[in-house]
Amino acid sequence: MKGAVKFGAMFLLLIGRAAAQQECALPFSPPPNQMRTVFLLDTSGSMEGRGSSVANIFAKVKGAMLRGTRATTAPGSVSLYTFDAGLQKQFNFAWPQQRSIFEQTLNPLTAPGANTWLYRSLQELFGKLPRQAQSATTVYVITDGIDNNPDKQATLNTALDVFKQSRGPFDKLYYVALGARIPAEVRARFALTDFAKAVELPVGQAPDFTSVRLSPAMLTVGADASFPYARPAGTQLSLESSNIGGAEVNIGNPSGAGARVSLKVQGNVPAGSVGYMCAELPDDRQNVLLRFDRTTPPLSGVVAGPVDVLGTLVLLGKPGRPVLTRGQSATLTYKAVRGPVTVEIASVPPSIAASLPDQTVSLLEGEQVKLKITDKSLTHGQVAAPVLRLNDATPYKVPPVEGKVVKPFPWWWLLLALVIVVLLLFYVPRALRPFTPYALSVDRQMRVFLHDRSGRRKTRLLRRPLIDIGRGFRERRLHGLVLERYRPEPEEWVVLDNSNMQSIREFSAQQLRRAARLQTQPDTLRLHKHGQDEDVFLQEQEMLQERQLYIFTDYTAPPLRVRPPMPPAEPPIEIIVTLLTGADMQELDLPIGDVDLADVFGQPHLRGLVVRREVGLLRLRGLDEAMRLRHISREFRPGEALPLAVMLSLGTASGPYQLRIRDKASLSRYQR
């Protein structure tokens, strides 16, 4: 009995909870009919991959903001604040009139900051937001880090207290952490509120502002009675009232996952009407205002198609398959259409390389981007293409490129053919000319060469002591010309008669000496004709040193060019030699040729001192061993030139002399 009572109590409790979950009621009436979206964007360097960053996410975030704002056309405003060490820049735009100005302002924005003073920036931001009862406000705080402000006066609690003072009943706050862990105390503080949520995203993933997790306070219903609203499985949607603007409105796909929500409308919902929708998630609850910008359905009865808020790309230029050779590149130009789009490379085959101007490129509608594709290792006829990723989710196929392997021109074949032609032009005429021998030579390996007048030759090795040149070289005109290799008999000076034992012993010793001399006797080559006297051709010593030619045919030397006559030889200079012996002095002119000064001066003690007049100098030709000829510290040797106009010291066995040598022509010029 007690168990039945307990089960009944639990059943009633579950029914009560289900009823509470399904209840969807307006927190305040009438609801606002305008929207206000505020972005607080982190512009520290880590958002662009610098410093301690985990990903370059800035371009993706900007693209997500562009697409998220495109999803709504409700009147109101969009504000953009940037922060690093506190608030930096502030931009306000009237919506939707200044949407293009907002996109042109956001797209070139960069992240040059160095700090993430999150709570101080939040507090400053909330202090600048005036209360607007006619607008539903959504604040998005987007960062990839946590607060690092050393001044702890501004905290999350102080910032939320400021926001509570100005927020309306439909206002929302989202703290979006990009690849960073949200501190536990921040999660706990956000869980105590019914207007603030903390959302963690994986590394490299940009936020989707059209999803239920980040749904704004107000969504715009298109003319086709649908709006973007990405939600997971297990989601249950419901309306606060099925009567909106006097028409009956129901949700066409209230359960399960989906990217858009379609409404079933009976009657016409006037433009500007506002409804209220609740979304029950498996672990959360989200409420959102629905504003009909146009009369739904159109009064004409024609249902408009859904508005695609996600931009895409269009290839410019002629379509076709680029053909690339190894290392060659092709550039494809794409244009953004139907809204903003972010572009990045999803995958690239290993045989090609692909690159964009940046890792992630954010494009406004009408802007262009160039994709460069380079052939790395494509085989002939092989095709490959990279895959792009649009809007951080949609794959986009790129036209493939085709590889072309160009075989290099075989220049070495041309070079080989040129060498062959040159060789043919050089050797063929020589080979066609008859071989007329005129000379014979032998080298140190005993190879016999037969030469003709053009420089050609034939070779045979002298293996045997005797060779017939005509038969060995197959030259008929040289038959009978014999080249013989022999060692001449050594001469003996003693004739032995073998009459006694002493003579026999001397004869034996002589034979031994003969054998030894034969071993050391060099070979001699003889060239002769049969029936004629032998003619010594060349000994081995001469053959190895001079490599002479033996010309055995009539040979006429080529005529020499006539050279101009040489100028007459310059006569030797005239020399005056003075011999000083104590106080005696003799001075004489030297004759031409080798002159012994003993004959010139009549001094026997000078015998052996020989000089000679030459062109421009006097040369010492001979000097007796007992003589010394010096000038200061230098001593002269036979063969050296003697200086002119100097005094030389001559030492002989009989005593010293002084010798002075002068040029007669120079002396005459000096006297004049």
Side-chain angles (χ1 to χ4, degrees), residues 49-64:
R50 296 190 299 273
S52 59
S53 170
V54 294
N56 183 359
I57 195 67
F58 198 63
K60 290 185 178 182
V61 171
K62 292 191 295 181

Side-chain angles (χ1 to χ4, degrees), residues 275-533:
Y276 192 65
M277 183 183 73
C278 302
E280 294 291 339
L281 305 177
D283 57 351
D284 195 8
R285 178 183 177 89
Q286 284 279 35
N287 300 329
V288 64
L289 292 171
L290 302 180
R291 187 182 190 280
F292 291 78
D293 279 358
R294 298 181 183 179
T295 300
T296 306
L299 298 177
S300 61
V302 178
V303 179
V307 178
D308 191 355
V309 297
L310 299 179
T312 186
L313 296 179
V314 173
L315 177 63
L316 302 181
K318 297 181 180 180
R321 178 181 297 174
V323 179
L324 304 178
T325 58
R326 190 66 51 82
Q328 190 177 8
S329 300
T331 302
L332 303 180
T333 304
Y334 287 91
K335 180 179 180 181
V337 296
R338 297 199 302 273
V341 58
T342 54
V343 187
E344 60 182 341
I345 298 176
S347 62
V348 182
S351 57
I352 61 174
S355 62
L356 291 169
D358 201 350
Q359 179 180 354
T360 303
V361 180
S362 178
L363 302 176
L364 299 179
E365 185 172 356
E367 292 184 341
Q368 298 179 4
V369 65
K370 295 183 181 296
L371 172 65
K372 183 179 180 182
I373 304 176
T374 305
D375 179 4
K376 292 172 55 179
S377 58
L378 287 175
T379 59
H380 192 76
Q382 181 184 2
V383 296
V387 177
L388 301 180
R389 183 184 296 112
L390 307 185
N391 305 317
D392 200 27
T394 309
Y396 186 86
K397 294 184 178 180
V398 176
V401 295
E402 181 179 350
K404 180 181 180 182
V405 178
V406 179
K407 296 183 178 180
F409 184 80
W411 293 104
W412 65 275
W413 279 102
L414 184 60
L415 181 61
L416 179 61
L418 182 61
V419 171
I420 292 175
V421 169
V422 172
L423 293 178
L424 290 177
L425 292 177
F426 182 75
Y427 284 104
V428 168
R430 298 183 62 189
L432 295 179
R433 290 196 302 266
F435 187 88
T436 304
Y438 85 102
L440 189 73
S441 66
V442 183
D443 67 359
R444 65 179 62 201
Q445 284 82 23
M446 288 299 172
R447 290 182 300 177
V448 183
F449 298 93
L450 192 62
H451 304 264
D452 73 345
R453 296 179 185 273
S454 63
R456 293 180 296 173
R457 65 183 185 178
K458 297 181 180 180
T459 308
R460 292 291 184 273
L461 184 62
L462 188 59
R463 300 178 183 275
R464 296 175 296 176
L466 193 69
I467 179 175
D468 189 303
I469 299 298
R471 297 184 184 278
F473 287 96
R474 297 180 182 179
E475 292 289 342
R476 183 177 299 276
R477 57 177 294 187
L478 299 181
H479 281 189
L481 185 63
V482 178
L483 182 64
E484 182 181 0
R485 178 182 179 184
Y486 80 107
R487 291 178 179 175
E489 185 73 16
E491 297 181 358
E492 292 291 342
W493 299 304
V494 180
V495 180
L496 303 176
D497 55 3
N498 300 330
S499 59
N500 51 37
M501 291 301 296
Q502 180 65 27
S503 178
I504 292 174
R505 283 195 294 270
E506 291 179 358
F507 179 78
S508 299
Q510 178 179 321
Q511 294 300 319
L512 291 175
R513 291 194 301 272
R514 174 178 176 275
R517 292 182 62 185
L518 283 175
Q519 294 295 328
T520 59
Q521 186 76 9
D523 287 349
T524 301
L525 298 177
R526 296 187 298 185
L527 188 67
H528 59 86
K529 292 185 178 180
H530 289 301
Q532 296 183 4
D533 295 337

Side-chain angles (χ1 to χ4, degrees), residues 8 16 120 436 642:
R120 173 180 168 180
T436 304
L642 298 177

Side-chain angles (χ1 to χ4, degrees), residues 225 239 241-242 244 247-253 262-266:
L239 293 175
S241 173
S242 60
I244 301 177
E248 184 177 352
V249 180
N250 295 296
I251 299 176
N253 48 347
S262 299
L263 301 178
K264 295 181 178 180
V265 180
Q266 293 184 0

Side-chain angles (χ1 to χ4, degrees), residues 573-643:
I573 62 175
E574 298 181 5
I575 298 294
I576 300 175
V577 181
T578 304
L579 181 65
L580 300 175
T581 308
D584 298 333
M585 181 181 71
Q586 299 182 47
E587 187 174 82
L588 298 172
D589 293 346
L590 285 182
I592 298 176
D594 292 344
V595 179
D596 196 317
L597 295 186
D599 299 333
V600 174
F601 292 104
Q603 297 287 341
H605 302 297
L606 300 181
R607 182 68 61 190
L609 179 58
V610 182
V611 295
R612 181 176 182 174
R613 290 165 50 192
E614 295 183 3
V615 178
L617 56 88
L618 179 66
R619 190 176 300 279
L620 179 63
R621 299 286 291 175
L623 190 66
D624 189 76
E625 294 181 356
M627 295 181 179
R628 293 291 183 269
L629 186 62
R630 296 185 179 87
H631 172 59
I632 304 177
S633 61
R634 179 183 175 187
E635 184 173 342
F636 293 94
R637 302 292 183 186
E640 296 182 350
L642 298 177

